[in-house]
Amino acid sequence: SIAVSKGAPTQWVKQFPSSAAMTSSIFRAAVTSVVAYLATADSGDEDCQASGKGCQGNSEWGKRAEIYEYTSSANPKMSEVPIRIFGPELHQQGPSRVVPLDASADLQLPYAATSPNLLASFVRVLAGEELPTGVERATSQLFYVIRGQGRSKTRAGELTWREGDLFVLPYLGNEATPVCAEKSQCVQHRCLEDSHYGGCALYWVHDEPLLKYLGVVPDTVKRFEPTLYPGDIMRETVAAISNLDENGHVRNRRGILLGNPATSQTKTLTPTLWSLLNTLGANASQEPHKHNSVALDLAVSAGQTGKVYTLLGRSLNSDGVIVDPVTAVWESGGVFVTPPGWWHSHHNNGTVAAWVMPVQDAGLYTHQRTLDIRFSAGEMELMKSGTSRGATLPERMSEAVPPMVAGTIMTGHM
């Protein structure tokens, strides 16, 4: 029976089902009995004010209560983040427009989203035309230039861009003069030139789905400042990284994390967004790894057609090989979604280097100490030793190092 504190009304003592009878995950019968009492206990405002009992609020609030048995509901059945592939044809033809990469039906969400926390879109702007993009309450917006040259006007000012550039915007509030009418955080884009498909293309990612889920709006104080990452500097910085690590071994990863002065501890693009520019050399593979964030991977350059791909799967075997993998073939300018916790490895069977730029909600996970990135080599060592690491932060973490690039200043790195 339910525990009742001393002095509680005897009418509240109700028999809950025994644990053997708890076959349903929700105790609606128990809740119904409590609500039924509350409904009959409403005895008017005078009694409510005098004793605190029989208040109308108790009855109304009690109707919303649900109680679950722990072991059957601690890991609730939810819709999974799907593996999705969005081809480059979505931004290579047609009029100026925004193309949301929407998986809300799969995620069972009432608003557009590519992952539970993020929405990615392609933005196509015909040469000589303008197009607005807008959100109401994202804390972070990312724009990566897939193709073309142009400029974007924001409440924080105007900047010019070209292929390979990336810029991020915080929530800019409503005090500054709007630059267009497409929702409150509007950005006006103009394509000046594109010699390939007659229109510029941007990869646009923001965290408005997270805020819609929480039912909140950002603070009026900017969490970070608008920031530009020029494409030529990013590529030069990757090229400056030695192909060998400090032990003389060939690096499994050759890429750069994009940070911000406002995120000195997490070393992420913004407080919620994380991004990496990574190159995969000819005839190379990158070992399986996994993390709890969702990756929205943009294939910046897919190398030799049909020769570069990612394998994704739920588990590894004892040899560190992904079990029953799904294959996502890269297409230049296309996006594929890597679900959280799935092992994935990148492979280039061609003779031309490939580039990928994942965008993740890992800023949030890193701050929470729950990113839990793991590599297959480390997991295999644990398997052989018969142990399992439970902590989300490894015992050995990266030492504090200065950024390879701070503003326009590049520093030496191995």
Side-chain angles (χ1 to χ4, degrees):
S1 61
I2 188 172
V4 180
S5 61
K6 184 178 180 181
T10 56
Q11 302 99 311
W12 279 58
V13 181
K14 302 290 182 180
Q15 292 294 317
F16 275 65
S18 67
S19 55
M22 294 177 182
T23 56
S24 172
S25 64
I26 183 169
F27 299 113
R28 291 193 182 276
V31 175
T32 301
S33 65
V34 173
V35 173
Y37 166 73
L38 291 172
T40 59
D42 288 342
S43 55
D45 291 342
E46 293 182 2
D47 289 343
C48 177
Q49 294 173 4
S51 65
K53 303 172 184 176
C55 302
Q56 181 66 28
N58 290 36
S59 175
E60 293 300 317
W61 292 14
K63 292 176 183 177
R64 306 182 189 107
E66 294 184 344
I67 302 174
Y68 298 85
E69 190 277 320
Y70 173 76
T71 57
S72 61
S73 301
N75 195 19
K77 183 178 181 180
M78 300 180 68
S79 58
E80 287 195 292
V81 175
I83 297 174
R84 293 286 299 273
I85 298 175
F86 301 93
E89 68 279 358
L90 295 173
H91 58 71
Q92 290 174 346
Q93 54 194 8
S96 299
R97 68 197 185 283
V98 174
V99 183
L101 310 185
D102 187 13
S104 58
D106 296 299
L107 299 171
Q108 298 179 17
L109 295 174
Y111 42 80
T114 314
S115 71
N117 293 337
L118 305 178
L119 174 62
S121 300
F122 290 138
V123 180
R124 174 173 168 82
V125 188
L126 293 179
E129 292 188 1
E130 295 189 353
L131 183 74
T133 60
V135 292
E136 291 292 348
R137 45 182 169 169
T139 73
S140 304
Q141 296 188 69
L142 171 152
F143 294 92
Y144 176 82
V145 184
I146 299 173
R147 186 179 66 250
Q149 298 183 46
R151 61 174 181 259
S152 295
K153 185 182 297 185
T154 78
R155 288 180 185 239
E158 185 173 348
L159 81 161
T160 59
W161 41 256
R162 57 183 175 177
E163 182 175 326
D165 289 351
L166 183 151
F167 61 96
V168 291
L169 297 172
Y171 180 75
L172 295 170
N174 295 310
E175 298 302 320
T177 303
V179 298
C180 46
E182 185 69 16
K183 301 183 180 180
S184 68
Q185 301 300 301
C186 186
V187 180
Q188 187 78 9
H189 309 281
R190 181 173 182 82
C191 176
L192 300 177
E193 179 185 6
D194 172 54
S195 59
H196 300 289
Y197 294 96
C200 300
L202 305 175
Y203 183 44
W204 175 35
V205 184
H206 59 75
D207 62 3
E208 188 170 58
L210 172 62
L211 278 76
K212 286 186 175 180
Y213 171 71
L214 296 174
V216 298
V217 295
D219 194 348
T220 55
V221 178
K222 285 184 294 186
R223 182 61 180 80
F224 62 96
E225 294 295 328
T227 308
L228 170 68
Y229 302 80
D232 54 351
I233 292 180
M234 288 195 287
R235 290 186 293 272
E236 289 170 9
T237 308
V238 174
I241 301 173
S242 170
N243 198 40
L244 302 178
D245 63 19
E246 59 274 11
N247 298 316
H249 300 141
V250 175
R251 290 184 185 273
N252 185 254
R253 295 288 188 280
R254 193 169 176 221
I256 53 172
L257 289 173
L258 304 181
N260 192 290
T263 57
S264 58
Q265 185 171 202
T266 62
K267 294 181 172 59
T268 52
L269 195 66
T270 78
T272 57
L273 298 181
W274 174 105
S275 191
L276 159 78
L277 182 61
N278 182 35
T279 184
L280 181 59
N283 298 303
S285 292
Q286 294 180 347
E287 69 178 61
H289 69 289
K290 72 182 185 76
H291 38 73
N292 289 335
S293 52
V294 180
L296 310 180
D297 297 280
L298 172 68
V300 174
S301 176
Q304 198 173 347
T305 303
K307 296 290 187 177
V308 184
Y309 58 94
T310 294
L311 299 179
L312 308 98
R314 299 175 185 274
S315 57
L316 289 179
N317 65 19
S318 58
D319 295 321
V321 177
I322 298 174
V323 177
D324 298 327
V326 176
T327 301
V329 178
W330 294 16
E331 291 185 85
S332 297
V335 168
F336 60 95
V337 177
T338 301
W342 280 52
W343 289 97
H344 49 289
S345 58
H346 306 306
H347 306 268
N348 184 351
N349 294 339
T351 58
V352 179
W355 294 75
V356 65
M357 193 194 74
V359 179
Q360 304 179 16
D361 48 1
L364 189 62
Y365 281 88
T366 305
H367 170 66
Q368 294 177 161
R369 282 71 169 173
T370 57
L371 180 61
D372 198 20
I373 185 166
R374 302 192 181 200
F375 295 89
S376 59
E379 292 298 292
M380 290 171 63
E381 290 179 8
L382 291 174
M383 289 180 190
K384 292 176 182 177
S385 65
T387 60
S388 174
R389 176 168 71 85
T392 59
L393 290 178
E395 292 183 11
R396 293 183 60 191
M397 291 182 282
S398 301
E399 298 294 334
V401 295
M404 294 183 69
V405 175
T408 58
I409 306 300
M410 183 180 294
T411 62
H413 250 251
M414 288 295 292

PDB file of all heavy atoms in Angstrom, residues 241-254 279-287:
ATOM      1  N   ILE A 241      48.949  20.300 -40.471  1.00  0.00           N
ATOM      2  CA  ILE A 241      49.011  19.194 -39.516  1.00  0.00           C
ATOM      3  C   ILE A 241      49.801  18.056 -40.133  1.00  0.00           C
ATOM      4  O   ILE A 241      49.507  17.599 -41.236  1.00  0.00           O
ATOM      5  CB  ILE A 241      47.589  18.711 -39.147  1.00  0.00           C
ATOM      6  CG1 ILE A 241      46.777  19.851 -38.538  1.00  0.00           C
ATOM      7  CG2 ILE A 241      47.656  17.529 -38.180  1.00  0.00           C
ATOM      8  CD1 ILE A 241      45.315  19.497 -38.301  1.00  0.00           C
ATOM      9  N   SER A 242      50.797  17.583 -39.404  1.00  0.00           N
ATOM     10  CA  SER A 242      51.611  16.479 -39.904  1.00  0.00           C
ATOM     11  C   SER A 242      50.754  15.236 -40.070  1.00  0.00           C
ATOM     12  O   SER A 242      49.807  14.996 -39.311  1.00  0.00           O
ATOM     13  CB  SER A 242      52.755  16.187 -38.930  1.00  0.00           C
ATOM     14  OG  SER A 242      53.422  14.984 -39.279  1.00  0.00           O
ATOM     15  N   ASN A 243      51.080  14.435 -41.069  1.00  0.00           N
ATOM     16  CA  ASN A 243      50.357  13.185 -41.283  1.00  0.00           C
ATOM     17  C   ASN A 243      50.733  12.132 -40.243  1.00  0.00           C
ATOM     18  O   ASN A 243      50.092  11.087 -40.139  1.00  0.00           O
ATOM     19  CB  ASN A 243      50.656  12.638 -42.690  1.00  0.00           C
ATOM     20  CG  ASN A 243      49.638  11.615 -43.131  1.00  0.00           C
ATOM     21  OD1 ASN A 243      48.444  11.764 -42.895  1.00  0.00           O
ATOM     22  ND2 ASN A 243      50.099  10.548 -43.771  1.00  0.00           N
ATOM     23  N   LEU A 244      51.784  12.419 -39.440  1.00  0.00           N
ATOM     24  CA  LEU A 244      52.225  11.508 -38.380  1.00  0.00           C
ATOM     25  C   LEU A 244      51.942  12.129 -37.015  1.00  0.00           C
ATOM     26  O   LEU A 244      52.064  13.355 -36.833  1.00  0.00           O
ATOM     27  CB  LEU A 244      53.722  11.215 -38.507  1.00  0.00           C
ATOM     28  CG  LEU A 244      54.202  10.605 -39.831  1.00  0.00           C
ATOM     29  CD1 LEU A 244      55.713  10.429 -39.799  1.00  0.00           C
ATOM     30  CD2 LEU A 244      53.497   9.274 -40.108  1.00  0.00           C
ATOM     31  N   ASP A 245      51.569  11.296 -36.058  1.00  0.00           N
ATOM     32  CA  ASP A 245      51.322  11.804 -34.714  1.00  0.00           C
ATOM     33  C   ASP A 245      52.641  11.897 -33.941  1.00  0.00           C
ATOM     34  O   ASP A 245      53.725  11.655 -34.479  1.00  0.00           O
ATOM     35  CB  ASP A 245      50.307  10.939 -33.975  1.00  0.00           C
ATOM     36  CG  ASP A 245      50.792   9.507 -33.744  1.00  0.00           C
ATOM     37  OD1 ASP A 245      52.010   9.260 -33.825  1.00  0.00           O
ATOM     38  OD2 ASP A 245      49.930   8.641 -33.483  1.00  0.00           O
ATOM     39  N   GLU A 246      52.537  12.250 -32.631  1.00  0.00           N
ATOM     40  CA  GLU A 246      53.735  12.464 -31.836  1.00  0.00           C
ATOM     41  C   GLU A 246      54.564  11.187 -31.633  1.00  0.00           C
ATOM     42  O   GLU A 246      55.746  11.242 -31.269  1.00  0.00           O
ATOM     43  CB  GLU A 246      53.357  13.051 -30.470  1.00  0.00           C
ATOM     44  CG  GLU A 246      52.412  12.200 -29.650  1.00  0.00           C
ATOM     45  CD  GLU A 246      50.955  12.455 -29.993  1.00  0.00           C
ATOM     46  OE1 GLU A 246      50.682  13.140 -31.003  1.00  0.00           O
ATOM     47  OE2 GLU A 246      50.082  11.965 -29.257  1.00  0.00           O
ATOM     48  N   ASN A 247      53.945  10.022 -31.904  1.00  0.00           N
ATOM     49  CA  ASN A 247      54.656   8.751 -31.774  1.00  0.00           C
ATOM     50  C   ASN A 247      55.168   8.219 -33.114  1.00  0.00           C
ATOM     51  O   ASN A 247      55.671   7.093 -33.193  1.00  0.00           O
ATOM     52  CB  ASN A 247      53.754   7.703 -31.123  1.00  0.00           C
ATOM     53  CG  ASN A 247      53.337   8.090 -29.719  1.00  0.00           C
ATOM     54  OD1 ASN A 247      54.180   8.560 -28.940  1.00  0.00           O
ATOM     55  ND2 ASN A 247      52.076   7.931 -29.390  1.00  0.00           N
ATOM     56  N   GLY A 248      55.012   9.008 -34.165  1.00  0.00           N
ATOM     57  CA  GLY A 248      55.479   8.600 -35.476  1.00  0.00           C
ATOM     58  C   GLY A 248      54.521   7.705 -36.229  1.00  0.00           C
ATOM     59  O   GLY A 248      54.869   7.172 -37.288  1.00  0.00           O
ATOM     60  N   HIS A 249      53.303   7.551 -35.713  1.00  0.00           N
ATOM     61  CA  HIS A 249      52.296   6.730 -36.386  1.00  0.00           C
ATOM     62  C   HIS A 249      51.428   7.592 -37.296  1.00  0.00           C
ATOM     63  O   HIS A 249      51.219   8.786 -37.032  1.00  0.00           O
ATOM     64  CB  HIS A 249      51.405   6.033 -35.349  1.00  0.00           C
ATOM     65  CG  HIS A 249      52.174   5.141 -34.420  1.00  0.00           C
ATOM     66  ND1 HIS A 249      51.882   5.051 -33.073  1.00  0.00           N
ATOM     67  CD2 HIS A 249      53.224   4.316 -34.630  1.00  0.00           C
ATOM     68  CE1 HIS A 249      52.716   4.199 -32.500  1.00  0.00           C
ATOM     69  NE2 HIS A 249      53.545   3.740 -33.433  1.00  0.00           N
ATOM     70  N   VAL A 250      50.921   6.994 -38.362  1.00  0.00           N
ATOM     71  CA  VAL A 250      50.034   7.723 -39.272  1.00  0.00           C
ATOM     72  C   VAL A 250      48.765   8.103 -38.521  1.00  0.00           C
ATOM     73  O   VAL A 250      48.147   7.268 -37.847  1.00  0.00           O
ATOM     74  CB  VAL A 250      49.680   6.865 -40.508  1.00  0.00           C
ATOM     75  CG1 VAL A 250      48.669   7.590 -41.388  1.00  0.00           C
ATOM     76  CG2 VAL A 250      50.945   6.547 -41.300  1.00  0.00           C
ATOM     77  N   ARG A 251      48.382   9.362 -38.584  1.00  0.00           N
ATOM     78  CA  ARG A 251      47.192   9.826 -37.873  1.00  0.00           C
ATOM     79  C   ARG A 251      45.935   9.160 -38.433  1.00  0.00           C
ATOM     80  O   ARG A 251      45.764   9.076 -39.652  1.00  0.00           O
ATOM     81  CB  ARG A 251      47.037  11.346 -38.017  1.00  0.00           C
ATOM     82  CG  ARG A 251      48.070  12.157 -37.282  1.00  0.00           C
ATOM     83  CD  ARG A 251      47.765  13.648 -37.420  1.00  0.00           C
ATOM     84  NE  ARG A 251      48.800  14.465 -36.819  1.00  0.00           N
ATOM     85  CZ  ARG A 251      48.820  14.814 -35.534  1.00  0.00           C
ATOM     86  NH1 ARG A 251      47.848  14.410 -34.730  1.00  0.00           N
ATOM     87  NH2 ARG A 251      49.805  15.560 -35.061  1.00  0.00           N
ATOM     88  N   ASN A 252      45.080   8.722 -37.515  1.00  0.00           N
ATOM     89  CA  ASN A 252      43.795   8.191 -37.943  1.00  0.00           C
ATOM     90  C   ASN A 252      42.834   9.317 -38.316  1.00  0.00           C
ATOM     91  O   ASN A 252      41.913   9.113 -39.102  1.00  0.00           O
ATOM     92  CB  ASN A 252      43.181   7.332 -36.841  1.00  0.00           C
ATOM     93  CG  ASN A 252      41.898   6.659 -37.270  1.00  0.00           C
ATOM     94  OD1 ASN A 252      40.819   7.053 -36.868  1.00  0.00           O
ATOM     95  ND2 ASN A 252      42.029   5.649 -38.125  1.00  0.00           N
ATOM     96  N   ARG A 253      43.045  10.477 -37.748  1.00  0.00           N
ATOM     97  CA  ARG A 253      42.236  11.647 -38.062  1.00  0.00           C
ATOM     98  C   ARG A 253      43.164  12.797 -38.439  1.00  0.00           C
ATOM     99  O   ARG A 253      44.189  13.025 -37.798  1.00  0.00           O
ATOM    100  CB  ARG A 253      41.395  12.080 -36.854  1.00  0.00           C
ATOM    101  CG  ARG A 253      40.335  11.081 -36.412  1.00  0.00           C
ATOM    102  CD  ARG A 253      39.179  11.035 -37.408  1.00  0.00           C
ATOM    103  NE  ARG A 253      38.074  10.229 -36.915  1.00  0.00           N
ATOM    104  CZ  ARG A 253      38.029   8.912 -36.963  1.00  0.00           C
ATOM    105  NH1 ARG A 253      39.062   8.240 -37.457  1.00  0.00           N
ATOM    106  NH2 ARG A 253      36.985   8.244 -36.526  1.00  0.00           N
ATOM    107  N   ARG A 254      42.780  13.536 -39.463  1.00  0.00           N
ATOM    108  CA  ARG A 254      43.543  14.730 -39.853  1.00  0.00           C
ATOM    109  C   ARG A 254      42.528  15.832 -40.110  1.00  0.00           C
ATOM    110  O   ARG A 254      41.980  15.970 -41.200  1.00  0.00           O
ATOM    111  CB  ARG A 254      44.380  14.455 -41.092  1.00  0.00           C
ATOM    112  CG  ARG A 254      45.438  15.535 -41.359  1.00  0.00           C
ATOM    113  CD  ARG A 254      46.411  15.080 -42.428  1.00  0.00           C
ATOM    114  NE  ARG A 254      47.364  16.146 -42.746  1.00  0.00           N
ATOM    115  CZ  ARG A 254      47.762  16.423 -43.974  1.00  0.00           C
ATOM    116  NH1 ARG A 254      47.307  15.726 -44.995  1.00  0.00           N
ATOM    117  NH2 ARG A 254      48.633  17.381 -44.181  1.00  0.00           N
ATOM    118  N   THR A 279      39.804  15.731 -43.392  1.00  0.00           N
ATOM    119  CA  THR A 279      40.158  15.195 -44.693  1.00  0.00           C
ATOM    120  C   THR A 279      40.454  13.705 -44.593  1.00  0.00           C
ATOM    121  O   THR A 279      40.978  13.235 -43.580  1.00  0.00           O
ATOM    122  CB  THR A 279      41.375  15.927 -45.299  1.00  0.00           C
ATOM    123  OG1 THR A 279      41.628  15.418 -46.612  1.00  0.00           O
ATOM    124  CG2 THR A 279      42.617  15.754 -44.451  1.00  0.00           C
ATOM    125  N   LEU A 280      40.083  12.981 -45.621  1.00  0.00           N
ATOM    126  CA  LEU A 280      40.304  11.538 -45.698  1.00  0.00           C
ATOM    127  C   LEU A 280      41.122  11.280 -46.953  1.00  0.00           C
ATOM    128  O   LEU A 280      40.631  11.440 -48.078  1.00  0.00           O
ATOM    129  CB  LEU A 280      38.958  10.811 -45.757  1.00  0.00           C
ATOM    130  CG  LEU A 280      38.969   9.287 -45.807  1.00  0.00           C
ATOM    131  CD1 LEU A 280      39.673   8.708 -44.593  1.00  0.00           C
ATOM    132  CD2 LEU A 280      37.544   8.751 -45.902  1.00  0.00           C
ATOM    133  N   GLY A 281      42.389  10.910 -46.759  1.00  0.00           N
ATOM    134  CA  GLY A 281      43.304  10.769 -47.876  1.00  0.00           C
ATOM    135  C   GLY A 281      42.965   9.612 -48.795  1.00  0.00           C
ATOM    136  O   GLY A 281      42.144   8.746 -48.479  1.00  0.00           O
ATOM    137  N   ALA A 282      43.619   9.600 -49.946  1.00  0.00           N
ATOM    138  CA  ALA A 282      43.415   8.525 -50.923  1.00  0.00           C
ATOM    139  C   ALA A 282      43.801   7.182 -50.315  1.00  0.00           C
ATOM    140  O   ALA A 282      44.770   7.070 -49.560  1.00  0.00           O
ATOM    141  CB  ALA A 282      44.250   8.799 -52.168  1.00  0.00           C
ATOM    142  N   ASN A 283      42.997   6.166 -50.627  1.00  0.00           N
ATOM    143  CA  ASN A 283      43.249   4.799 -50.158  1.00  0.00           C
ATOM    144  C   ASN A 283      43.452   4.747 -48.642  1.00  0.00           C
ATOM    145  O   ASN A 283      44.350   4.074 -48.130  1.00  0.00           O
ATOM    146  CB  ASN A 283      44.470   4.201 -50.863  1.00  0.00           C
ATOM    147  CG  ASN A 283      44.261   4.101 -52.365  1.00  0.00           C
ATOM    148  OD1 ASN A 283      43.311   3.475 -52.819  1.00  0.00           O
ATOM    149  ND2 ASN A 283      45.144   4.732 -53.134  1.00  0.00           N
ATOM    150  N   ALA A 284      42.610   5.473 -47.919  1.00  0.00           N
ATOM    151  CA  ALA A 284      42.721   5.540 -46.456  1.00  0.00           C
ATOM    152  C   ALA A 284      41.382   5.207 -45.815  1.00  0.00           C
ATOM    153  O   ALA A 284      40.311   5.331 -46.428  1.00  0.00           O
ATOM    154  CB  ALA A 284      43.178   6.930 -46.026  1.00  0.00           C
ATOM    155  N   SER A 285      41.454   4.773 -44.571  1.00  0.00           N
ATOM    156  CA  SER A 285      40.255   4.511 -43.770  1.00  0.00           C
ATOM    157  C   SER A 285      40.453   5.104 -42.389  1.00  0.00           C
ATOM    158  O   SER A 285      41.587   5.199 -41.897  1.00  0.00           O
ATOM    159  CB  SER A 285      39.987   3.004 -43.652  1.00  0.00           C
ATOM    160  OG  SER A 285      39.615   2.447 -44.895  1.00  0.00           O
ATOM    161  N   GLN A 286      39.358   5.507 -41.758  1.00  0.00           N
ATOM    162  CA  GLN A 286      39.396   6.003 -40.388  1.00  0.00           C
ATOM    163  C   GLN A 286      38.614   5.027 -39.518  1.00  0.00           C
ATOM    164  O   GLN A 286      37.466   4.704 -39.810  1.00  0.00           O
ATOM    165  CB  GLN A 286      38.819   7.421 -40.315  1.00  0.00           C
ATOM    166  CG  GLN A 286      39.685   8.432 -41.062  1.00  0.00           C
ATOM    167  CD  GLN A 286      39.161   9.846 -41.008  1.00  0.00           C
ATOM    168  OE1 GLN A 286      38.026  10.080 -40.618  1.00  0.00           O
ATOM    169  NE2 GLN A 286      39.999  10.791 -41.396  1.00  0.00           N
ATOM    170  N   GLU A 287      39.238   4.554 -38.456  1.00  0.00           N
ATOM    171  CA  GLU A 287      38.687   3.485 -37.641  1.00  0.00           C
ATOM    172  C   GLU A 287      37.330   3.851 -37.046  1.00  0.00           C
ATOM    173  O   GLU A 287      37.002   5.038 -36.897  1.00  0.00           O
ATOM    174  CB  GLU A 287      39.658   3.139 -36.517  1.00  0.00           C
ATOM    175  CG  GLU A 287      39.777   4.232 -35.463  1.00  0.00           C
ATOM    176  CD  GLU A 287      40.716   3.851 -34.334  1.00  0.00           C
ATOM    177  OE1 GLU A 287      41.899   3.628 -34.612  1.00  0.00           O
ATOM    178  OE2 GLU A 287      40.254   3.794 -33.184  1.00  0.00           O
TER     179      GLU A 287
END
